[in-house]
Amino acid sequence: MGITLSRAAQWTTASSNIGKLEFTPMNELLLKEILSFVEEFSSQHPQQAEHVFKEPLQWTTTLVASDFKTDYDISDSVVQSQEKDSEGHPLLLLSPPNVYVRSFSQLCKLVHLTNDKKLEEVRACLEDNRNPVVKVLGPSFAAELEGDNQDETRLFAKVKEEEEHKDTDDKVKLFLLLQNLDKQLLIKLLHEISQQVELNPAAVKNEVEMLKRSCGNGESRLLKSIQYTSDYEFSNGCRAPPWRQVHGEICYLVIEPCDSETLYITCSTAGVFLNRGIKQKGEENDYERTSDTYEDLVSLLKSKSPQFAKNINKQDCAVQELPSTQKIQHVESVDAEEQGQPQRSYEQQEKNVHEKARQQHTANKAGGKMKYEPCPRWKDLGLKCPPGRAEEKKPNKSSGEEKSGEMYKKKMATGAKSKMKADFSVSSLPGHLSPLKIKTSAGALPVEVFSESSTESEEEEEQPERRPESNTDLPSEYWHIQKLVKYIKGGDQRFTVLTLCTLMDFNLMQETCQLAIRDVGGLEVLINLLDTNEVKCKIGSLKILRKISSSVQIRRAIVEMGGLQSIVKIVDSEEEELMALAAETIAIVARFPKARRTVRQYGGIKKLVKLLDCVSNLANLSVRQEKDVEIARCGTLALWSCSKSTRNKDAIRKAGGIPLLGRLLKSPHESMLIPVVGTLQECASEESYRIAIQTEGMIKDLVKILGSDNDELQMHCASAIFKCAEDKQTRDLVREYKGLQLLVSLLSKADNKHLLAAATGAIWKCSISMENVAKFGEYNALEVLVNLLTDQPEEVLVNVVGAVGEFAQIPENKATIRRCGGIKPLVNLLTGTNQALLVNVTKAVGACATDMDNMVIIDQLDGVRLVWSLLKNPSADVQSSAAWALCPCINNAKTDDRLRRHLAEAIGHCCMWGSNKALFGEAGAVAPLVCYLKSKDSSVHQSTAMALYQLSKDPNNCITMHEKGVVKPLIHIMGSDEEMLQEAAAGCVRNIRLLALANRKVQLFY
Amino acid sequence: MSELSAMNRKKIQSLADKLSKHVNHFSKTEIECLICDFNVLLREQINPGKANGLDRQNFRSILYNKFGMSDAIIMDAVFRTFDTDVDSFISVKEWIEGLSVFLRGTLDEKIKFCFQVYDSNGDNYITKEEMFHMLRNSLIQLPNDEDPEEGVKDMVEITLKRMDYDHDGKVSLADFDKAVREENLLLEAFGTCLPDRKSIRGFEQQVFQHQLEK
C-alpha cells in the first residue's frame, strides 16, 4: 500500500501533503481494491483484525452518530466503540466531523455501516492519511515495506527489539498482509497501465492529421474543426512549451465537435485529456486536467461527442484505406525526385522511408477501428480480445510468419554476445523505422516489475509483416548495415572485428547510416560489445559509437540504453587506446544534461580527471609519453563536455582536476590547449575556479596562450580572463604579463564575433582597474572600442559599452569618446531592450555626461529623456543605473532652464515608480535639485518643487534637503500664485517637518 | 642457475653478443635471459635429444600456455613464420628474433609478421582462399537457419575488396600495409597472432625478472 499510494496513485498536487485523489479510473480501481481488502479483513484474518494501530487513522467522515448502532456508546454526537484497547481507550471514536479508528476490525465495521458511501469513506481516509502504513505499524515498519524486505525472521527480531509485545506475531502477519496488498495493487495497476498506450509527438501528429482530413462540411464529417494552439513545432515534435514538456505534454488542441461545445485538449505522453481551456497562451492553471485520461484523441472524442462516435464507426473503412492511397502518391514522388537529383536520393529516400513508416503506423494506430477491435482476419479466427489489447495480442500466437519472427528474435538473444538489456527503452528492431512508442515510465511507476521487453518483442514481431511493403524504398546502406549487425551478433571475435571494420567504412557521419544502425538494433549490439572482454571488439565498437554520436538521437538513445555507463566503465581500463576512445566518446555523448549527470553518477568524472595525470614535462616526449598525453587530451575533451553542468564542475574540482588542468596548460600543442582552456573558461563561472586559476599561476599561461594565433584558443583564453578578471589581483596579473596589449590586438579580428565578444569582455573586466585603463590608453584601445559601438551583436555590445563606461571614468577619455563620435551610438543604444546592455549603456552615458561638452551633445540627441524613460524599466538594475546616469545630467544642466525644468519634471514623475525615490537619493540627485530652486524661471520652480515633494517621501532625502537648506526657498515659493506650486512646496516642507518632529519625539522619549 | 658453469655462462654471453646484432628490441641482458629460458624450454621438450630447437608441438603448447592462443591454424602459421630456415624447428636465434617482433615489434614489423602468418603458402599474397580457410569457423550462427558459411564468404569478399587496393584480386603486403595503417584493427584481421598486453607482461616478467633474481 505504501508504494502504491505514494507513487502510483494519481494525486492532484504532487508536492503537498494535502492533495486529493483525482477522479480517474485508475484511482477508482485502487480504491475498490483497498475497500474489498478492508471489508474482508475481519472475516479472513480475525486475529490480526484485533491488532491495535500504532496511531489512529483519522479522517473527516460523512458518518453521524445515528449511523452507529449496537456495540457503540453514543452520547450526543460523540460515538465511542465498546471495544477498548488495553489502556481502556476506545478503538473507534467519532467526534464529528472527525473519526478516529485504531483497528482493522473497527475499520471493517465502519465500512459496513456506510452503505452506499463506502468508496467515499475510503477515499477520505486515504486522502487524510497519506501514509496509512506508518500509522498502522509505526514508521520503521513502513520503511521496511518500502524497502521490499522479505525476510520474516529479521522482522521478528526487529519487532522484538523494538518492543516486548505479546502480539508480535500478529504485527508481523499484519505487516505481511499489507505488503501483500501493496504488491497485489501494484500488479493490478501495472496491468491496467500496460493496457494504456503511450503517446508520442509523431503519433499525436498523425492522429491530428487524420482528424483534420475528416473536418469539413459534409454530413459525415467528424468534427467542425481541429487546431493546434501553437504553430511552432519544436525539433522533438512537441508544441507544448518546454516547461510543460517536462510534464510529458506534447501539444494542445482546440477542437470544435459538431454537436457539443469547444473542447480544449492536452495531448501528453500519458494520454489525452481536457484542460481548463488553453488557447494561445496558457495561464498556469489552464493546464490542469479536467477529465479522465484517454489513450488517444479518437477515444476522447468518442466519449465527448456522440456524433463523432457515430460517424467514426461509419468511416472506419475509409480511414483505413487512406494511408495506402497516400503511399502510392509518395512512391511516385520519390521516383521523380530520384531521376531529377540522383545525388540527393538517399537522403530523400531516407526521409520518405520514415514518413512512410509513420504512415503505416498511422494505419494501425490512429485508424480507429483497427486499433480497438480485432481486424476482420482475427475476428474470423475467433480471436476475442478485449478492446485496446487487440493490437498487442494478435501477433502472439497465430500465423507462422510471426512465429518465425519470434524465433528469429530468440536466436538473436541467445547469440554469442547479444546480451539483451531488459531496460532498453528505444526500440531496436530490424525494420523499425520510427520509434513510435518511446517508452517513458508511466507515472514514475517502478516499471521493472512488469516486463517491458515483452511489449518490445511484440513490436518486433510485427515487423516482418510490415516490412515487405516498404522494401523497395530503403536505401541500400540500410540492408548492408542490417546484415552486418546480424554478423556481429553471430560471429566470433575475429569476425566481429572484421565486421566492425566494414561498418566503419560507411559514412558514419551521415544521418542515413546513423539511423539505420539504430533502427536495425545496432546500438544494442555495439553497447553489448562494450561489456565483453574483447579489447578489439570494444575498440571497434567505440570507434563507431564515437562517430554516430554526432547525431542527437543516437546520443540520447545511447544514454537511454545505459550505454554511457559502459563507456564510463572503460575509461579506467588498462588499454590505452580504449581509455582514449572511451573519453573521446564521452566528450561527444555528454552534450546534454542527462548524459552529463550519468557520467557523474557512475564515477566518470573521477576517472576522467585521472586521465589528465600524465607526464609533468610536456615538451620532448617519448613515444610512450605521447600516448599518455593523447589520453590526457581525450580526458580533457570529455571533461570539457561534462563541465557544462555546475555539479560536474564541483566534481572535477573535488577530484583534483584543477592543478592537472594547470599542468596541461603548459602544453605546446594547440590540440591539447583548446580543451584545457575550454574547460577552464567553462568552469571559471565558479568562484572556486577563479581563485584557483589565479593562485595556481594560470593567468600567466593564459596570457601566453592569448598570443597564439588560433582563433578558438584565443577565444577560450579571453573568455577565461573575462570571467576571472572580476578579481583585482587577476586584473593586475593580466597587465603584468602584458596581456592587455594582446587583448587589444584581438579586436582586429572583428569578423569572428565569438572571439570579439570574449576579447571585449576581457577588456571590459580588466578596465575596472584604472591602471589598466591607463595602459589600454597606450594601445589606443578606446578608439577601437568606440568603433565597435555600431553594427555588432548584443553579446559584443554589452562588453564594448561596459568597457567604454569604465574608460570614461578618466576625464580625458570622455573627450576621446566624444572626439571619436562615440556619444551618438551610445545614446542610440538607450532605445534597446537588452537589460544587461541597458545597464551598461546608462552607466556609460552617465559617465560621459559628467563632461559638459558631452552633456550638450547628449541633450541634443534627446538622451536625457531616453535615460529617464529607462527609470520605468522593469529591471531594478536598469532603474538604478539610469538614476545614477541622470544625476550628472542634473548637475550639468545648470545653465539651461529648459533642460532643468524637464529634468525636474522627469524625476518628479519617476519618483512615483517603485524604489526610484530612494535610488535618486542614493545617486545624489537631491542636492543639485535643491539648487534648481535658485533659478529665476518659475516653471523650473514648479517642476522642481514637484520633484522635491515626491522625493521628500523618502526620509533620507528629507535629511539631504534639509542639509542643503531647502526649507527657506520652499517657504518663499509657497507664497506663489500658482496653486500647484504652493501645494508641492508645502507638501515637501510638511514631510521634512514631520520627520523632524518624529525625530524629536524619539529623542525625547528614548 | 647456480649449476651453470662459468664455461656455459661464457657461451651464453657470446651467443647473446652475436644475437644482439640482429635483434632490435631486447637488451643484451634480456637476450641472455631469453637464451637461458630457451634452454629450459628445450630441456622440457618431450624429445629433446635430437632437437635443434623447439618442435612444432612444443611451440604450439608455448603459444597456448603463455600467450593464450588457441586457433590451430593460426598457431601453425605462427610457427611457420618463426621458422625462417624452414627446418621445422625453432632455433634459439629464430626464437629470439621472432620474439622481438612478437613481443615488442613496431607497427611496421607487426604488419609484416601478421602478413606472413596469413600468407599460408608463402607466395607473398593473401588470397581469397587463404582468408576463407582462416575464417572458416568464425561465424557461429545466423538467424533463420541462414548458412554461416555463406556469411563468411560474403565477409571474405567484402574484406578482399577493401584491402585490394591494386585490384589484382589478392592482397599483397603493400595492400595489407595500407589497409592496416588506415585501420589498425585490421592488423589481426584473420586471427589473433600476436599476444595481448597481459600475456606479454606475464611472459616478460617470468623470463626477465625471474631469471635476474637467480
Side-chain angles (χ1 to χ4, degrees):
Chain A
M1 194 147 59
I3 297 176
T4 317
L5 284 179
S6 57
R7 309 230 184 107
Q10 295 159 317
W11 300 90
T12 45
T13 38
S15 58
S16 79
N17 281 323
I18 48 160
K20 298 276 179 200
L21 276 167
E22 288 184 48
F23 286 89
T24 63
M26 188 100 74
N27 280 344
E28 211 72 11
L29 179 90
L30 185 77
L31 289 174
K32 277 184 187 148
E33 286 297 326
I34 294 176
L35 176 64
S36 72
F37 173 78
V38 171
E39 276 182 320
E40 285 161 29
F41 199 93
S42 275
S43 56
Q44 296 204 342
H45 316 283
Q47 210 179 333
Q48 285 77 37
E50 301 306 321
H51 181 85
V52 179
F53 296 168
K54 191 104 179 169
E55 263 181 81
L57 293 173
Q58 172 199 344
W59 70 93
T60 313
T61 179
T62 53
L63 290 171
V64 289
S66 58
D67 291 320
F68 292 83
K69 293 170 188 93
T70 49
D71 297 346
Y72 296 95
D73 296 325
I74 303 168
S75 64
D76 292 326
S77 60
V78 177
V79 178
Q80 292 192 11
S81 66
Q82 288 167 358
E83 228 184 312
K84 304 269 194 294
D85 67 9
S86 52
E87 282 152 36
H89 300 298
L91 292 177
L92 181 141
L93 173 69
L94 175 79
S95 160
N98 291 323
V99 65
Y100 304 80
V101 181
R102 298 181 58 201
S103 78
F104 266 109
S105 71
Q106 285 296 335
L107 210 52
C108 185
K109 283 183 191 165
L110 182 138
V111 169
H112 286 292
L113 287 172
T114 45
N115 297 324
D116 53 345
K117 289 190 208 146
K118 282 175 184 165
L119 273 185
E120 274 83 329
E121 283 303 317
V122 175
R123 177 188 292 276
C125 174
L126 290 175
E127 280 171 354
D128 289 352
N129 299 282
R130 282 295 281 269
N131 205 338
V133 183
V134 172
K135 295 201 168 166
V136 172
L137 295 170
S140 60
F141 260 84
E144 209 66 34
L145 185 58
E146 290 263 352
D148 194 28
N149 196 316
Q150 309 279 349
D151 189 350
E152 233 173 286
T153 45
R154 227 175 71 90
L155 283 174
F156 272 108
K158 191 170 180 69
V159 183
K160 276 194 180 136
E161 85 188 36
E162 241 181 45
E163 51 199 314
E164 272 302 311
H165 217 282
K166 57 181 182 296
D167 56 8
T168 300
D169 207 295
D170 286 340
K171 195 165 182 182
V172 171
K173 282 211 179 113
L174 188 55
F175 166 75
L176 293 173
L177 284 170
L178 288 173
Q179 191 179 44
N180 202 28
L181 169 67
D182 199 17
K183 212 178 282 170
Q184 295 298 326
L185 287 174
L186 269 180
I187 289 168
K188 277 246 164 66
L189 288 180
L190 285 170
H191 185 74
E192 196 74 2
I193 287 166
S194 60
Q195 293 186 6
Q196 295 180 354
V197 183
E198 273 220 8
L199 290 180
N200 69 12
V204 171
K205 197 171 177 184
N206 278 323
E207 218 182 352
V208 172
E209 289 306 313
M210 189 272 289
L211 290 170
K212 263 190 185 160
R213 284 199 289 271
S214 42
C215 292
N217 295 317
E219 266 286 295
S220 60
R221 67 177 177 173
L222 296 173
L223 300 164
K224 269 191 206 156
S225 75
I226 173 168
Q227 275 178 324
Y228 288 113
T229 55
S230 160
D231 290 333
Y232 182 73
E233 191 181 320
F234 290 89
S235 59
N236 60 4
C238 291
R239 288 166 194 261
W243 63 92
R244 297 303 304 179
Q245 284 183 31
V246 299
H247 298 286
E249 290 177 9
I250 296 166
C251 64
Y252 312 101
L253 295 165
V254 180
I255 296 181
E256 284 183 274
C258 306
D259 52 352
S260 63
E261 57 187 19
T262 308
L263 301 170
Y264 299 95
I265 293 171
T266 300
C267 301
S268 78
T269 50
V272 177
F273 53 83
L274 296 181
N275 57 49
R276 283 198 191 278
I278 302 165
K279 286 156 197 142
Q280 251 70 35
K281 204 175 166 190
E283 297 290 319
E284 194 45 49
N285 53 10
D286 284 350
Y287 292 106
E288 209 170 298
R289 182 172 61 173
T290 61
S291 76
D292 281 352
T293 303
Y294 296 82
E295 54 243 272
D296 56 22
L297 275 170
V298 172
S299 30
L300 182 140
L301 290 169
K302 267 186 180 171
S303 85
K304 299 292 170 197
S305 158
Q307 193 179 333
F308 179 88
K310 200 178 85 197
N311 285 341
I312 187 119
N313 287 334
K314 267 194 251 164
Q315 286 197 357
D316 265 350
C317 304
V319 171
Q320 263 181 3
E321 278 159 20
L322 252 170
S324 65
T325 50
Q326 277 258 320
K327 205 187 131 218
I328 293 160
Q329 289 166 0
H330 228 100
V331 173
E332 280 165 0
S333 73
V334 170
D335 290 344
E337 200 75 58
E338 255 178 330
Q339 282 161 3
Q341 297 160 296
Q343 77 278 15
R344 274 187 52 206
S345 63
Y346 272 150
E347 208 177 338
Q348 195 66 38
Q349 281 180 357
E350 169 71 10
K351 270 191 196 135
N352 283 324
V353 165
H354 280 260
E355 196 103 333
K356 201 157 295 172
R358 240 172 250 146
Q359 280 168 358
Q360 283 160 10
H361 276 284
T362 324
N364 287 343
K365 239 186 132 76
K369 191 167 190 172
M370 212 166 149
K371 185 168 174 200
Y372 299 113
E373 289 155 26
C375 71
R377 201 166 117 215
W378 308 116
K379 267 184 190 158
D380 293 342
L381 283 169
L383 227 121
K384 285 205 175 95
C385 300
R389 298 212 61 192
E391 199 192 13
E392 288 167 31
K393 273 215 169 162
K394 67 177 184 199
N396 257 348
K397 359 171 152 64
S398 14
S399 77
E401 230 176 329
E402 264 107 26
K403 268 266 167 68
S404 73
E406 196 175 41
M407 276 166 60
Y408 168 84
K409 207 246 151 179
K410 274 191 187 140
K411 269 201 167 175
M412 303 259 92
T414 51
K417 282 173 247 78
S418 58
K419 181 193 101 197
M420 285 296 188
K421 302 203 172 180
D423 58 342
F424 59 81
S425 52
V426 172
S427 45
S428 57
L429 22 145
H432 184 113
L433 290 168
S434 66
L436 254 175
K437 289 190 180 177
I438 293 176
K439 295 252 163 20
T440 56
S441 48
L445 278 160
V447 197
E448 310 88 77
V449 179
F450 82 96
S451 157
E452 213 185 0
S453 54
S454 74
T455 49
E456 205 70 39
S457 63
E458 274 158 18
E459 269 185 69
E460 247 173 313
E461 283 154 23
E462 281 175 322
Q463 290 306 314
E465 206 178 24
R466 259 185 236 155
R467 212 187 308 155
E469 295 172 25
S470 51
N471 264 354
T472 46
D473 297 348
L474 290 163
S476 63
E477 281 104 324
Y478 183 88
W479 300 109
H480 277 143
I481 289 172
Q482 184 176 38
K483 182 182 72 186
L484 293 176
V485 168
K486 206 163 63 185
Y487 284 170
I488 297 175
K489 284 179 182 168
D492 70 359
Q493 177 261 338
R494 289 171 291 169
F495 205 81
T496 301
V497 171
L498 270 183
T499 314
L500 290 172
C501 290
T502 311
L503 202 49
M504 282 175 220
D505 273 355
F506 284 85
N507 182 359
L508 295 176
M509 305 301 274
Q510 197 185 12
E511 206 188 10
T512 325
C513 292
Q514 293 169 342
L515 296 180
I517 289 176
R518 183 195 66 186
D519 294 340
V520 301
L523 278 185
E524 283 89 344
V525 174
L526 290 171
I527 288 170
N528 284 341
L529 285 177
L530 297 179
D531 295 333
T532 64
N533 289 321
E534 296 291 347
V535 174
K536 294 195 194 82
C537 292
K538 289 194 211 179
I539 291 176
S541 164
L542 281 175
K543 279 184 174 174
I544 293 166
L545 287 173
R546 178 183 58 171
K547 287 229 174 110
I548 58 177
S549 296
S550 65
S551 142
V552 183
Q553 287 125 297
I554 299 283
R555 289 203 283 272
R556 293 197 175 267
I558 289 175
V559 174
E560 292 299 328
M561 289 177 205
L564 189 52
Q565 285 142 252
S566 304
I567 300 173
V568 167
K569 245 184 245 163
I570 293 176
V571 170
D572 56 357
S573 77
E574 291 190 354
E575 295 285 331
E576 287 144 0
E577 193 174 1
L578 271 179
M579 293 157 95
L581 275 170
E584 232 178 312
T585 314
I586 292 175
I588 299 164
V589 176
R591 288 190 187 155
F592 61 101
K594 189 178 175 190
R596 290 194 274 267
R597 197 165 58 235
T598 306
V599 175
R600 183 178 67 248
Q601 282 167 350
Y602 288 88
I605 301 289
K606 259 191 201 158
K607 292 180 182 186
L608 289 168
V609 167
K610 254 192 209 152
L611 299 189
L612 307 195
D613 195 1
C614 55
V615 277
S616 44
N617 178 10
L618 287 141
N620 309 323
L621 298 167
S622 70
V623 181
R624 229 207 107 64
Q625 286 171 327
E626 249 167 44
K627 267 189 192 163
D628 287 343
V629 172
E630 172 60 13
I631 293 172
R633 188 184 74 87
C634 296
T636 320
L637 277 172
L639 287 178
W640 188 13
S641 291
C642 293
S643 68
K644 305 250 173 353
S645 123
T646 311
R647 285 206 180 167
N648 281 349
K649 289 174 194 173
D650 276 357
I652 296 171
R653 182 175 50 78
K654 283 187 189 137
I658 302 179
L660 294 173
L661 285 168
R663 204 158 81 191
L664 294 175
L665 208 50
K666 300 194 187 300
S667 161
H669 302 292
E670 280 173 5
S671 61
M672 172 67 90
L673 289 174
I674 289 176
V676 172
V677 182
T679 311
L680 283 173
Q681 76 87 15
E682 192 67 57
C683 292
S685 58
E686 304 296 302
E687 202 190 351
S688 53
Y689 274 87
R690 294 198 290 267
I691 294 168
I693 287 172
Q694 189 206 94
T695 53
E696 302 254 343
M698 290 187 228
I699 298 294
K700 186 175 182 181
D701 295 310
L702 286 172
V703 169
K704 195 177 139 211
I705 297 165
L706 207 53
S708 78
D709 58 357
N710 180 314
D711 278 13
E712 193 186 357
L713 196 47
Q714 288 173 321
M715 176 186 78
H716 294 317
C717 252
S719 290
I721 294 174
F722 178 13
K723 287 174 185 164
C724 292
E726 291 275 1
D727 177 87
K728 183 178 181 313
Q729 236 173 317
T730 301
R731 294 196 290 267
D732 291 343
L733 285 173
V734 175
R735 182 180 67 249
E736 254 174 60
Y737 298 126
K738 310 204 184 326
L740 300 181
Q741 186 173 10
L742 292 171
L743 286 173
V744 175
S745 67
L746 287 183
L747 297 182
S748 61
K749 296 189 176 182
D751 290 338
N752 183 339
K753 295 304 173 195
H754 293 296
L755 176 57
L756 192 60
T760 50
I763 291 177
W764 169 24
K765 292 300 172 183
C766 284
S767 63
I768 295 171
S769 289
M770 283 305 121
E771 298 97 310
N772 286 354
V773 174
K775 198 76 189 163
F776 276 130
E778 292 175 22
Y779 313 121
N780 300 327
L782 185 54
E783 286 84 343
V784 186
L785 286 171
V786 168
N787 282 330
L788 293 174
L789 283 172
T790 43
D791 302 328
Q792 295 298 338
E794 279 183 349
E795 46 168 2
V796 175
L797 284 174
V798 173
N799 299 340
V800 172
V801 175
V804 169
E806 295 299 339
F807 277 74
Q809 304 298 319
I810 291 179
E812 63 251 38
N813 280 345
K814 292 172 197 170
T816 311
I817 295 169
R818 181 178 67 245
R819 216 180 44 243
C820 300
I823 305 291
K824 189 167 182 209
L826 276 177
V827 171
N828 285 345
L829 288 174
L830 286 169
T831 56
T833 52
N834 179 323
Q835 295 188 342
L837 181 55
L838 284 174
V839 169
N840 285 356
V841 174
T842 44
K843 240 180 175 171
V845 169
C848 290
T850 52
D851 181 287
M852 277 304 289
D853 295 332
N854 285 350
M855 188 59 221
V856 173
I857 305 176
I858 292 171
D859 190 35
Q860 279 169 358
L861 294 168
D862 211 10
V864 181
R865 188 187 57 83
L866 290 172
V867 174
W868 79 54
S869 71
L870 288 176
L871 291 167
K872 295 181 200 167
N873 192 286
S875 153
D877 288 340
V878 175
Q879 281 181 19
S880 77
S881 183
W884 185 88
L886 270 182
C887 295
C889 301
I890 297 164
N891 268 326
N892 280 342
K894 274 173 190 143
T895 47
D896 187 342
D897 274 335
R898 185 187 58 85
L899 179 57
R900 285 176 168 187
R901 193 182 79 216
H902 289 305
L903 265 176
E905 210 171 81
I907 291 172
H909 285 297
C910 291
C911 279
M912 296 169 198
W913 277 81
S915 58
N916 282 348
K917 284 190 283 291
L919 288 175
F920 276 120
E922 284 164 27
V926 176
L929 263 181
V930 174
C931 297
Y932 281 15
L933 292 177
K934 290 176 190 153
S935 162
K936 292 196 175 72
D937 187 333
S938 68
S939 59
V940 174
H941 287 170
Q942 186 172 333
S943 54
T944 307
M946 286 288 290
L948 287 172
Y949 169 60
Q950 291 296 340
L951 287 167
S952 70
K953 288 174 184 170
D954 180 276
N956 287 325
N957 291 344
C958 288
I959 296 168
T960 317
M961 286 180 210
H962 192 259
E963 279 168 0
K964 292 288 165 191
V966 81
V967 180
K968 209 172 171 190
L970 280 181
I971 289 175
H972 185 73
I973 287 170
M974 276 190 240
S976 145
D977 301 334
E978 291 271 349
E979 214 169 295
M980 290 264 284
L981 191 54
Q982 282 178 350
E983 256 177 48
C988 186
V989 171
R990 177 173 176 271
N991 282 338
I992 295 170
R993 186 70 197 144
L994 279 176
L995 184 70
L997 272 174
N999 240 342
R1000 182 163 316 155
K1001 254 187 204 158
V1002 170
Q1003 280 167 0
L1004 273 177
F1005 291 110
Y1006 297 98
Chain B
M1 302 231 156
S2 49
E3 79 271 22
L4 269 180
S5 63
M7 178 66 185
N8 241 345
R9 180 163 288 283
K10 207 149 207 187
K11 239 181 175 172
I12 289 174
Q13 277 175 352
S14 77
L15 183 59
D17 257 351
K18 217 168 80 191
L19 286 175
S20 66
K21 285 174 188 121
H22 303 277
V23 175
N24 293 327
H25 303 300
F26 295 127
S27 70
K28 227 167 96 184
T29 337
E30 284 171 336
I31 292 175
E32 281 174 28
C33 291
L34 286 166
I35 294 170
C36 290
D37 185 62
F38 181 80
N39 289 336
V40 174
L41 291 172
L42 211 53
R43 239 175 288 148
E44 282 168 359
Q45 196 155 288
I46 300 165
N47 206 351
K50 59 176 186 181
N52 312 322
L54 301 168
D55 63 16
R56 181 182 301 261
Q57 200 190 346
N58 194 16
F59 186 82
R60 272 175 61 161
S61 75
I62 294 169
L63 286 185
Y64 178 78
N65 292 322
K66 303 205 166 161
F67 299 110
M69 293 187 181
S70 55
D71 185 334
I73 299 174
I74 295 291
M75 289 199 286
D76 279 347
V78 172
F79 178 80
R80 190 174 29 72
T81 312
F82 267 68
D83 182 19
T84 43
D85 63 0
V86 210
D87 67 345
S88 295
F89 287 102
I90 309 295
S91 69
V92 68
K93 179 167 174 277
E94 286 168 340
W95 174 245
I96 291 172
E97 281 176 354
L99 282 182
S100 168
V101 176
F102 198 61
L103 300 176
R104 299 183 177 179
T106 61
L107 183 61
D108 274 339
E109 290 169 337
K110 283 181 182 167
I111 290 173
K112 219 168 155 187
F113 177 85
C114 292
F115 182 82
Q116 284 173 347
V117 170
Y118 299 146
D119 175 19
S120 45
N121 62 3
D123 67 348
N124 292 325
Y125 289 104
I126 305 173
T127 59
K128 203 189 287 185
E129 290 70 33
E130 284 167 331
M131 286 186 200
F132 185 72
H133 182 63
M134 289 182 283
L135 292 175
R136 177 166 278 154
N137 300 316
S138 62
L139 189 54
I140 296 153
Q141 60 171 357
L142 284 175
N144 299 334
D145 299 327
E146 285 175 50
D147 186 4
E149 201 166 302
E150 286 306 311
V152 176
K153 274 186 188 159
D154 183 31
M155 186 48 68
V156 165
E157 287 291 343
I158 294 171
T159 309
L160 180 68
K161 219 177 183 179
R162 176 199 176 114
M163 292 187 162
D164 183 17
Y165 292 94
D166 54 9
H167 305 295
D168 60 354
K170 47 196 178 179
V171 176
S172 63
L173 178 59
D175 286 334
F176 188 69
D177 185 270
K178 197 169 175 189
V180 174
R181 278 177 208 284
E182 262 175 35
E183 179 47 66
N184 287 344
L185 281 177
L186 288 172
L187 178 65
E188 296 177 79
F190 308 113
T192 306
C193 53
L194 290 166
D196 63 20
R197 183 184 301 265
K198 214 172 131 194
S199 34
I200 292 177
R201 205 188 300 140
F203 181 83
E204 292 195 349
Q205 237 165 34
Q206 180 233 322
V207 175
F208 300 145
Q209 290 180 6
H210 193 64
Q211 299 277 325
L212 286 172
E213 276 163 22
K214 283 188 180 174

